[in-house]
Amino acid sequence: MANIIVDRRAAGAKALSTQRIMLSVVLALIPGIVAYCYFISPLVLVNALFAVLTALLLEAFAIRLRGKKCMPQIQDASIALAAILLALAVPPMIPLWQLLVGVAVMVLLGKHVYGGLGHNPFNPAMVGYAAMLISFPQSMTLWMDPLGLENLALVDLIQAKLTLNIVTSNPQIAWDGITQATPLEHIRSLKAQSQTIVLSDLIQRTMDSGWCWVNLGFLLGGLFLLFKRIIQWHIPVSVIAGYVLWAGLFSEPGLPLHLSVFSGSLILGAFFIATDPVTAASSKRGRLIFGFGIGSLSFVIREFGGYPEGIAFAVLLMNLCVPLIDHADRQLARRN
Amino acid sequence: MLNKITSAIGLNVSLGRSAHRKTAPFGFHGGLSLDTNKRALGDNTELCSIISINPPALLTIPLINYRKDSVAPKVQIHEKVKRGQALADNIVSPVSGVVEAIEHCEIIHPGGLRAPCVVIRNDRLDTPINTDTEYRNNKQEQQAVSHDNDNAEAQAKIAHFIAHSTTMLDQAALVGLGGAGFPTAQKLLSSNQDLQTLIINAAECEPEIACDEALMRSSSIQIAYGISALSQLTQCKRCVVAIEDTKTLAIESMRTALDTIDSTAELMIIPTRYPAGAESPLIQNVTGQFIPHNEKPINHGVICINVATTYALWQAINGQPMDSRVVSLGGAEMPNPCNVRVRFGTPVSYVLQQTGNAPADDTIRIRAGGPLSGFDLHSTNVPITAMTNCILAEAALCAPAAQPCIRCDDCADVCPAMLQPQQLYWYTQAAEHDKCEELQLDACIECGCCDLVCPASIKLTETFRFAKSNANYIKAQQQLADDAELRFLDRKNRLEQKEQARQLAIEQRKEKLRSQKKPDREKINAALNRIRSKRHTQKD
Ligand code: SF4
Ligand code: SF4
């Protein structure tokens, strides 16, 4: 007879399984994804679907390669979540083969070389994203212009995506017409040309481009996760606080804070990416430090770095610090 | 939040009357709000009887103490024993009869361990050993008498007990009925330093376990006398009876009882939160002190006594040593859940049979202890002991396979010992014993909270329980090895010293010889000279 020490069912356990946690996070992404489809581009669905399918296949392959049974591990849905996050982070017009490279890096180098779920030091989705950002800098800036989109049927766009070479693919598609810089890139280029930023224009641009709504969608999902206690408040709050603190002190006087918070992927990062428990610090105090670090670094990268968006590198850099943070925290806890 | 609401409800309940009220517990770290789910109490009405069963024909009394070390028997095979007669230190015979055997039998243990036991054939006479004191076998009768006792008589008995506490405690064979089975006399007699707080533990926090609650509802007056005796014996500054707020009927009956005998004990209503009844969370809750795991509460001026133990103490004052306890029968597959008073040494299977709970088929798991702190039994032919508070019957279970830890830290949030279960798990898997020690694996109270919340279904508590006994084993082995090494070094030293002494003696003897030889040579020379001179004279 099995010797069960803790009888979960008799004790009335209501613990969420890993799978339930991951699927809840996917669920919480839905409002943001809907807003994304509506305001930016429905192509994100194609990307997400493609990323999830390839990620699952690659994971099954990787697990078999490691000589394990793949069903129980794949079922935890963690790689599906990572794939969706990656698809949300890249521009919708990204060619699928490039996305495939990102997914492969994510699954193989981000996760399974370290021994799979729970052992990876870096956030897999951000590993994939960083690899793509470095390898395909040009196509990683292919953001959609919502106004240009009306001129094109979805089918054409998908066709364009499937073709391998974006530049020479379809002469009918004028790339400059349908892609456009995100508000952040816009600010950056304006600053580079030392033009003054017209605030109303900028607000208009942000609202028009729909990023604001997308981020509000993600915020809604994030609050749902907090409410459901899937995540705890420490990381999202400290990420945003870290960013807002430095941005409030040092950014252009004309640029209102809420615009910079709601125009990039800070919200997505704070609620969905940085909160990945595997790669975050484990204690509450550690998580506050971890989140604050991400917020601060993402400001620094946005402001001074060569990339328009800083979240990915900020998360990866802070992932690197997690063992240090955990260790320091334990020392501190022992001293008390 | 939920806690606050429930404690608010508890507060409403306690707003009745009386001075024994204190609703400001300090709380403790971690823990879980679980459904109490006490099937053994039935539909939670006023009526809550404790069933009595006749003791079986054969009883098996394990000869082990609370540390699971075996103790030497004080009886021999074929010896006649009386009820209450000492079988070993702090173990008495629960019936009268004949010692049939002293042999190894299986006992209640997660690993199905066998231990030396005294097997007694019951003569069904229950001849008591204490013939001089009032002594009754029939529980009902005893209760009636205790009720009739007026306060003065009870106080006289208590005074008699205080005067003869050492001998009476020695005969009473009291052990803690909360689950750990620590000898009560040892606890009480070590408390001669000034005791700040005596905590009567009536917080039976685990789901399904309801034996203390049933006892409080049915025998509150005896418990109150027991508490009174205890607080007089220990001369504590403060005596707190800690009850969880969901036990409304038990609270009522305890309050009435304490009022009736004008006790000075406070009733403290604490929020229902597992594991509020474990010693260290309880002390934290009541006094706000955090007692490190390697220190004894008594050194901090606190002792905890289980409420059922106070009842047993009162029985002992009335001449009846501790030889039975109330056991809750519960679980989803228990046809007839109830609380039953069982003599120690009664087999689990017999208890189930007598209460109409014999398992229908062998897919049903029988568990000793609650859903969190207990374990499944290998066989039901094992004797009930003072530590068996609960027997559960559960359907066969396929436990989900453990997944990798996702470092969510939920386990640390609920750990009442404020440990880092996920780190500990890591180090137990890597068999890094010093790291485990550093992270205080010893402080784990094996409550099961971490196990219950882990989304990856990792069997944390089981791992810790195993690692702890393993660590103890390794320590013991290390001790043995160290001892052996010491002995070896000792012997080597001894031999060396001996050898040195021998060498020294040889040297000394040589020296002596040498020094003795010197005069000899002179003599020889003298003799030679004499001879030579003689020759000279002869030649001349
Ligand atoms: S079983 Fe041990 S480690 Fe787990 S919560 Fe309880 S005390 Fe903490
Ligand atoms: S609860 Fe389970 S998964 Fe979460 S940190 Fe603890 S051991 Fe890991």
Side-chain angles (χ1 to χ4, degrees):
Chain A
M1 194 185 280
N3 183 8
I4 293 158
I5 300 273
V6 174
D7 192 334
R8 288 161 184 251
R9 198 175 51 179
K14 297 181 200 87
L16 291 169
S17 62
T18 308
Q19 185 188 29
R20 282 282 295 279
I21 290 177
M22 298 298 169
L23 291 179
S24 306
V25 179
V26 172
L27 193 73
L29 279 169
I30 287 179
I33 295 179
V34 169
Y36 199 119
C37 289
Y38 185 77
F39 290 106
I40 314 292
S41 162
L43 281 179
V44 71
L45 288 181
V46 178
N47 287 352
L49 209 66
F50 177 77
V52 168
L53 284 177
T54 47
L56 287 177
L57 282 175
L58 275 167
E59 171 147 281
F61 170 71
I63 295 171
R64 291 304 289 275
L65 215 62
R66 285 169 48 213
K68 302 254 165 76
K69 278 232 164 63
C70 64
M71 253 352 252
Q73 287 198 38
I74 261 190
Q75 267 171 357
D76 65 37
S78 60
I79 203 68
L81 171 62
I84 295 176
L85 288 174
L86 180 65
L88 285 174
V90 299
M93 278 312 294
I94 194 89
L96 287 183
W97 71 269
Q98 293 183 355
L99 187 57
L100 180 64
V101 172
V103 169
V105 170
M106 169 179 87
V107 175
L108 302 176
L109 296 185
K111 190 174 177 190
H112 281 284
V113 284
Y114 298 107
L117 180 69
H119 302 287
N120 47 310
F122 298 107
N123 188 313
M126 291 303 102
V127 172
Y129 179 81
M132 290 171 73
L133 198 58
I134 294 166
S135 320
F136 319 114
Q138 193 191 7
S139 40
M140 287 298 274
T141 53
L142 285 179
W143 292 94
M144 307 296 296
D145 180 353
L147 303 176
L149 204 99
E150 283 165 20
N151 310 328
L152 277 169
L154 192 59
V155 193
D156 290 334
L157 286 172
I158 295 176
Q159 207 174 20
K161 274 179 70 67
L162 288 175
T163 48
L164 294 185
N165 191 334
I166 43 167
V167 187
T168 62
S169 65
N170 194 335
Q172 286 164 355
I173 301 172
W175 281 100
D176 283 343
I178 61 160
T179 64
Q180 181 218 32
T182 61
L184 280 182
E185 283 168 29
H186 181 66
I187 297 169
R188 174 177 294 278
S189 61
L190 283 184
K191 268 198 299 197
Q193 295 155 29
S194 47
Q195 288 177 9
T196 48
I197 300 166
V198 184
L199 187 61
S200 57
D201 173 43
L202 197 63
I203 292 177
Q204 192 57 41
R205 220 182 156 86
T206 311
M207 297 306 280
D208 276 354
S209 69
W211 279 110
C212 199
W213 296 111
V214 175
N215 277 320
L216 280 175
F218 287 139
L219 183 64
L220 193 71
L223 293 179
F224 164 78
L225 289 182
L226 278 179
F227 176 70
K228 280 289 198 183
R229 291 172 178 258
I230 307 275
I231 59 174
Q232 289 177 319
W233 60 270
H234 306 81
I235 291 179
V237 167
S238 58
V239 169
I240 295 174
Y243 181 82
V244 166
L245 177 73
W246 302 117
L249 288 176
F250 295 116
S251 69
E252 302 286 316
L255 189 65
L257 272 178
H258 61 270
L259 263 192
S260 61
V261 171
F262 277 100
S263 58
S265 51
L266 190 72
I267 300 285
L268 183 70
F271 282 94
F272 292 91
I273 296 170
T275 49
D276 167 31
V278 175
T279 54
S282 64
S283 68
K284 301 210 161 46
R285 191 168 29 198
R287 283 176 180 172
L288 286 174
I289 299 169
F290 175 77
F292 188 80
I294 292 179
S296 312
L297 279 176
S298 71
F299 171 77
V300 170
I301 297 171
R302 262 191 196 184
E303 197 65 16
F304 309 109
Y307 296 98
E309 190 51 88
I311 276 284
F313 287 114
V315 168
L316 291 175
L317 283 172
M318 286 315 286
N319 285 163
L320 212 58
C321 301
V322 161
L324 185 69
I325 295 174
D326 277 351
H327 182 74
D329 185 75
R330 240 170 289 141
Q331 297 291 347
L332 214 64
R334 192 159 314 140
R335 210 163 301 154
N336 291 340
Chain B
M1 188 64 196
L2 213 68
N3 251 341
K4 279 182 193 147
I5 294 169
T6 47
S7 79
I9 295 166
L11 202 139
N12 288 340
V13 169
S14 64
L15 278 179
R17 54 188 160 140
S18 102
H20 331 290
R21 173 162 43 83
K22 177 95 194 262
T23 43
F26 289 89
F28 61 92
H29 179 265
L32 289 168
S33 292
L34 302 171
D35 292 340
T36 48
N37 207 8
K38 314 239 180 199
R39 288 189 179 86
L41 286 177
D43 51 2
N44 215 34
T45 50
E46 210 85 35
L47 260 178
C48 173
S49 57
I50 296 173
I51 297 174
S52 287
I53 54 172
N54 287 327
L58 272 183
L59 291 93
T60 314
I61 324 289
L63 288 171
I64 50 174
N65 64 10
Y66 69 101
R67 269 188 270 133
K68 302 253 189 310
D69 296 333
S70 51
V71 289
K74 288 183 178 168
V75 289
Q76 279 153 11
I77 300 182
H78 306 315
E79 187 177 330
K80 272 196 131 178
V81 291
K82 289 177 176 169
R83 182 173 181 197
Q85 181 177 340
L87 298 178
D89 272 348
N90 227 25
I91 299 171
V92 296
S93 173
V95 290
S96 60
V98 181
V99 176
E100 187 145 299
I102 298 175
E103 59 185 12
H104 274 67
C105 303
E106 198 174 319
I107 58 165
I108 291 184
H109 184 271
L113 192 77
R114 299 173 83 84
C117 297
V118 177
V119 182
I120 297 176
R121 183 162 290 281
N122 185 3
D123 63 9
R124 303 199 189 272
L125 295 174
D126 270 354
T127 325
I129 182 123
N130 299 0
T131 42
D132 51 331
T133 34
E134 239 181 304
Y135 187 83
R136 282 167 188 84
N137 313 328
N138 191 320
K139 209 179 111 280
Q140 255 74 31
E141 197 186 334
Q142 215 169 51
Q143 262 181 21
V145 168
S146 302
H147 273 301
D148 290 344
N149 273 348
D150 62 348
N151 214 353
E153 199 184 329
Q155 293 304 338
K157 277 186 189 168
I158 293 175
H160 179 257
F161 164 66
I162 306 285
H164 305 92
S165 60
T166 320
T167 40
M168 281 183 84
L169 280 174
D170 199 34
Q171 285 169 8
L174 295 178
V175 297
L177 292 176
F182 191 81
T184 311
Q186 208 169 319
K187 219 184 226 181
L188 291 176
L189 297 178
S190 68
S191 70
N192 40 19
Q193 333 160 17
D194 69 331
L195 183 69
Q196 297 297 325
T197 321
L198 167 68
I199 303 176
I200 306 297
N201 185 353
E204 206 175 20
C205 49
E206 200 169 340
E208 302 278 9
I209 304 179
C211 45
D212 291 353
E213 189 171 357
L215 196 63
M216 281 192 280
R217 287 208 221 157
S218 58
S219 319
S220 56
I221 197 88
Q222 287 93 325
I223 294 175
Y225 280 131
I227 293 173
S228 172
L230 267 182
S231 54
Q232 286 179 41
L233 176 68
T234 56
Q235 297 184 329
C236 55
K237 300 221 168 61
R238 182 176 168 219
C239 174
V240 181
V241 183
I243 310 192
E244 287 180 305
D245 52 14
T246 39
K247 299 190 174 67
T248 47
L249 293 170
I251 292 171
E252 270 316 304
S253 87
M254 280 310 295
R255 173 168 300 127
T256 319
L258 290 174
D259 276 346
T260 316
I261 70 156
D262 282 327
S263 165
T264 49
E266 314 165 17
L267 210 57
M268 184 185 274
I269 318 291
I270 58 174
T272 303
R273 186 168 183 78
Y274 180 83
E279 192 167 67
S280 101
L282 184 72
I283 296 174
Q284 254 184 81
N285 221 343
V286 173
T287 71
Q289 289 162 286
F290 181 75
I291 314 252
H293 71 280
N294 40 16
E295 287 175 39
K296 286 201 180 123
I298 182 66
N299 298 337
H300 294 255
V302 187
I303 50 177
C304 295
I305 303 276
N306 182 269
V307 68
T309 317
T310 63
Y311 175 86
L313 174 72
W314 181 243
Q315 300 296 87
I317 292 173
N318 284 298
Q320 157 84 75
M322 183 197 271
D323 61 8
S324 66
R325 67 158 299 142
V326 183
V327 178
S328 289
L329 305 183
E333 296 298 320
M334 191 70 80
N336 190 8
C338 57
N339 288 296
V340 50
R341 185 165 276 283
V342 183
R343 301 270 176 98
F344 298 155
T346 310
V348 172
S349 52
Y350 179 82
V351 176
L352 293 177
Q353 235 164 42
Q354 291 289 307
T355 53
N357 282 317
D361 52 76
D362 33 315
T363 58
I364 289 175
R365 293 179 296 129
I366 302 294
R367 232 176 127 73
L372 287 114
S373 63
F375 46 84
D376 288 5
L377 287 176
H378 290 250
S379 133
T380 55
N381 201 15
V382 284
I384 301 267
T385 67
M387 296 168 222
T388 321
N389 46 15
C390 175
I391 300 289
L392 296 181
E394 296 287 348
L397 182 82
C398 44
Q403 290 161 321
C405 166
I406 55 167
R407 290 171 33 101
C408 63
D409 219 35
D410 285 354
C411 46
D413 284 350
V414 297
C415 176
M418 294 195 261
L419 303 179
Q420 301 280 332
Q422 131 245 20
Q423 301 274 341
L424 274 174
Y425 179 70
W426 178 266
Y427 290 125
T428 51
Q429 292 308 91
E432 291 193 33
H433 302 293
D434 359 334
K435 281 283 185 191
C436 288
E437 205 164 316
E438 202 176 296
L439 289 172
Q440 302 194 323
L441 176 64
D442 278 348
C444 169
I445 57 171
E446 297 173 24
C447 63
C449 288
C450 52
D451 215 297
L452 217 57
V453 294
C454 177
S457 315
I458 299 172
K459 291 179 181 153
L460 294 161
T461 311
E462 191 173 327
T463 317
F464 299 153
R465 191 177 289 180
F466 180 74
K468 272 167 79 176
S469 56
N470 201 18
N472 287 341
Y473 175 75
I474 288 172
K475 251 185 228 155
Q477 291 294 316
Q478 189 60 43
Q479 190 62 44
L480 284 181
D482 288 352
D483 287 354
E485 191 179 338
L486 273 184
R487 274 201 306 278
F488 172 73
L489 287 178
D490 249 17
R491 180 161 178 270
K492 208 170 136 197
N493 273 346
R494 230 172 31 239
L495 290 181
E496 264 169 16
Q497 275 170 6
K498 239 184 185 170
E499 180 65 24
Q500 269 173 11
R502 204 169 68 93
Q503 292 293 348
L504 206 71
I506 293 173
E507 278 306 306
Q508 276 170 354
R509 226 176 305 145
K510 272 187 187 161
E511 194 68 18
K512 207 171 163 192
L513 280 178
R514 237 174 266 140
S515 60
Q516 276 173 358
K517 267 177 197 162
K518 264 180 196 163
D520 282 356
R521 184 140 300 162
E522 277 166 15
K523 278 184 191 164
I524 293 168
N525 286 344
L528 284 176
N529 284 343
R530 270 201 308 278
I531 294 167
R532 273 189 212 121
S533 62
K534 256 188 191 169
R535 279 187 193 151
H536 279 295
T537 48
Q538 276 174 6
K539 276 181 187 172
D540 291 340

